Amino acid sequence: MPVLALEGISKSFPGVKALDGVALSLYPGEVTALIGENGAGKSTIVKILTGIYQPDAGRILLDGAETAFPAAHAAAEAGVTAIHQETVLFDDLSVAENIFLGHAPRTRFGLIDWRRMNADAREMLARVGAAIDPEARLRDLGIASKHLVAVARALSIDARVVIMDEPTAALSHKEIAELYDLIETLKADGKAILFISHKFDEIFRIADRYTVFRDGAFVGEGRMADVSEDDLVRMMVGRSIEAIFPERARDIGAEVLRVEGYSHPTEFADIGFSLRRGEILGFYGLVGAGRSELMQALFGVTEPSKGSIDGEVTAIRDPGDAIGRGIVYVPEDRGAQGAIRPMAIFQNITLPSLGQTSRSGFLRLAEEFALARKYATRLDLRAAALDQELGQLSGGNQQKVVIAKWLATRPRVIILDEPTKGIDIGSKAAVHEFMAELAAEGLAVIMVSSEIPEILGMSDRVIVMREGRMVGEYAREGLTPERLVRAAAGIREAA
């Protein structure tokens, strides 16, 4: 019998039906993977499970009895807690305060019992294998440690249902392995776990069951042992994706960018490469390789200590200078660095191009909308309206807005830093198709990616970085995953 079940759940927002009669069952001691493209309704269902949203129709069953979560505290009291990709904790509080926020132990006088709280927090942290000082400020911890604090908080309220929403997105390989061990511990404790991830290797590694949503509707559920990756893809997108990476005619033209001797005091050293019209140049490396730091310097976010671009010594001083030279950058963290979530979609798209939509210092709204509509249509943006807040869109559609913003500046070089991070397989295929179109139109593309299939499937050439330095440059033909990993890890190739 499921600990928690949803039946016939529907939820609508102005102009959008986010959920249409969906079902979901979570069982004790098992991991259920919730699978679906961006916009399938996964985030909405999590907010209903945690009491943030109320369903328009349907039933929530706890141990078979109908219940309701009219607010977040009601869900928490019922034993439902969520651990998000971006941990929802408080940086200025201590670890112990975060763990026991809202249910701190009290003295007989009604005051917080700090000694007991720190001792109990230490016990909870030990249960999840975290050697963290309960009195440390949360802001001083890394992302992986913050996830462990969130799990310790779930244990402190004796959660029966633990929701993990893209928990590995910002973790290293070692931290991901530790999270897997922690999930096994939670299963052994009888917790029902809802696991949301776009990574099929993770889903098949840890999930016992699956549930698939598509376009806000329930598609299917079952045991992982009875399904294949192709089956899940077909259910997710309503069609079979034989190849995520599109075949494309490669018409590589003249050189459009030359970087020589580019160095930074702490992040990278002696970087040199060229980029040609119509080319996709892949950058691969492990965590700490310096790839993103290099791209930020090429866009003028940080300043190199030496080096030249197109023969000019440290030519790019700031992002405005880079945009003027036709170089744009789509960052890995699109939410914090690539867009302004509270602003409307059309305003995000036109922000770097206001010179095209203004006259004599005054913005022309009709021209802003026309420019935004042009690129939103080109990228097949899925939104209720262009004046909708960007933050209301799915992750894949937010990525499209960030790309549209820079395409509107008519660049000659576009840098895509982890362009498909955190988006589903269907959206990945769309982004790859669009990258191929950009290259076919003559745009030069730099793609930073940690996904080996993406690097091998999309790149014309690949540069591998390790500890801030280039350690290899390879043509696409004959390049293997083993060769990439060896170069990135500093392992000498066998003779």
Side-chain angles (χ1 to χ4, degrees), residues 47 62 71 77 89 112 143 147 203 225 255 278 285 300 339 371 376 383 425 444 470 477 493:
K47 289 177 180 177
L62 187 65
E77 288 170 1
L89 298 171
I112 293 176
I143 292 174
H147 277 301
I203 292 168
E255 181 178 280
L371 183 65
I425 193 167
M470 289 175 54
E477 291 74 19
E493 292 195 42

Side-chain angles (χ1 to χ4, degrees), residues 275-340:
L275 181 66
R276 296 182 177 277
R277 186 177 183 273
E279 180 180 36
I280 298 178
L281 175 61
F283 272 77
Y284 179 75
L286 304 178
V287 173
R291 299 165 303 158
S292 293
E293 291 78 8
L294 170 62
M295 301 309 154
Q296 289 166 5
L298 292 175
F299 189 56
V301 175
T302 58
E303 188 174 345
S305 57
K306 61 180 180 178
S308 67
I309 290 180
D310 297 334
E312 297 182 36
V313 176
T314 57
I316 297 176
R317 299 179 298 276
D318 54 47
D321 190 17
I323 295 167
R325 299 173 68 94
I327 301 172
V328 298
Y329 172 59
V330 178
E332 176 181 359
D333 188 348
R334 55 183 172 264
Q337 300 174 336
I340 304 174

Side-chain angles (χ1 to χ4, degrees), residues 384-432:
L386 289 178
D387 57 2
Q388 182 181 357
E389 279 190 16
L390 177 70
Q392 296 176 356
L393 300 184
S394 65
N397 281 305
Q398 288 186 33
Q399 180 78 310
K400 289 180 182 180
V401 170
V402 177
I403 294 174
K405 173 180 73 173
W406 292 124
L407 291 182
T409 67
R410 299 192 288 268
R412 61 190 180 97
V413 175
I414 186 167
I415 302 170
L416 301 172
D417 196 346
E418 301 287 2
T420 61
K421 177 182 176 180
I423 64 176
D424 57 78
I425 193 167
S427 293
K428 282 184 179 182
V431 170
H432 293 151

Side-chain angles (χ1 to χ4, degrees), residues 12-332:
S12 295
F13 301 96
V16 178
K17 188 150 194 175
L19 296 172
D20 186 8
V22 300
L24 176 68
S25 297
L26 304 176
Y27 293 84
E30 293 191 340
V31 176
T32 299
L34 180 57
I35 305 166
E37 295 190 81
N38 289 104
K42 303 187 301 295
S43 296
T44 304
I45 209 72
V46 168
K47 289 177 180 177
I48 287 174
L49 285 169
T50 53
I52 296 171
Y53 288 164
Q54 303 305 308
D56 299 331
R59 301 195 304 161
I60 300 175
L61 303 175
L62 187 65
D63 293 326
E66 189 167 348
T67 188
F69 300 147
H73 69 83
E77 288 170 1
V80 180
T81 190
I83 300 166
H84 299 278
Q85 177 180 343
E86 299 172 357
T87 51
V88 185
L89 298 171
F90 297 89
D91 278 346
D92 290 321
L93 297 182
S94 71
V95 169
E97 287 173 309
N98 271 282
I99 291 173
F100 287 100
L101 188 65
H103 59 286
R106 301 279 175 172
T107 67
R108 61 192 180 93
F109 302 108
L111 302 175
I112 293 176
D113 188 338
W114 294 98
R115 179 176 295 181
R116 181 181 161 198
M117 184 171 74
N118 287 327
D120 288 351
R122 189 172 283 108
E123 179 186 340
M124 294 298 169
L125 291 165
R127 285 180 63 186
V128 301
I132 300 172
D133 181 0
E135 298 184 54
R137 292 285 167 211
L138 194 78
R139 68 167 61 255
D140 296 328
L141 304 184
I143 292 174
S145 294
K146 289 181 179 180
H147 277 301
L148 291 175
V149 172
V151 175
R153 174 172 171 77
L155 295 177
S156 76
I157 63 173
D158 196 24
R160 303 179 65 199
V161 175
V162 179
I163 302 167
M164 295 187 170
D165 190 356
E166 297 285 354
T168 66
L171 303 185
S172 68
H173 291 294
K174 178 177 180 293
E175 291 165 343
I176 290 172
E178 292 170 351
L179 179 68
Y180 290 165
D181 291 340
L182 179 57
I183 289 172
E184 292 299 327
T185 300
L186 293 175
K187 287 174 61 177
D189 283 347
K191 311 299 183 189
I193 301 169
L194 179 64
F195 190 86
I196 301 173
S197 175
H198 292 115
K199 301 176 181 178
F200 275 26
D201 57 336
E202 291 184 352
I203 292 168
F204 279 92
R205 162 71 173 76
I206 66 168
D208 303 290
R209 297 174 178 267
Y210 68 87
T211 296
V212 180
F213 288 179
R214 183 172 73 237
D215 297 330
F218 173 84
V219 177
E221 64 181 5
R223 301 202 68 85
M224 293 299 302
D226 301 328
V227 74
S228 69
E229 185 171 311
D230 286 343
D231 293 332
L232 290 180
V233 170
R234 196 172 295 109
M235 283 190 278
M236 283 174 59
V237 301
R239 63 189 186 280
S240 177
I241 297 181
E242 300 299 332
I244 301 173
F245 307 105
E247 286 295 325
R248 61 189 180 93
R250 288 169 168 79
D251 184 15
I252 297 174
E255 181 178 280
V256 295
L257 181 71
R258 175 167 290 275
V259 177
E260 296 177 298
Y262 230 53
S263 301
H264 185 279
T266 59
E267 305 295 347
F268 53 85
D270 200 27
I271 302 296
F273 65 90
S274 64
L275 181 66
R276 296 182 177 277
R277 186 177 183 273
E279 180 180 36
I280 298 178
L281 175 61
F283 272 77
Y284 179 75
L286 304 178
V287 173
R291 299 165 303 158
S292 293
E293 291 78 8
L294 170 62
M295 301 309 154
Q296 289 166 5
L298 292 175
F299 189 56
V301 175
T302 58
E303 188 174 345
S305 57
K306 61 180 180 178
S308 67
I309 290 180
D310 297 334
E312 297 182 36
V313 176
T314 57
I316 297 176
R317 299 179 298 276
D318 54 47
D321 190 17
I323 295 167
R325 299 173 68 94
I327 301 172
V328 298
Y329 172 59
V330 178
E332 176 181 359

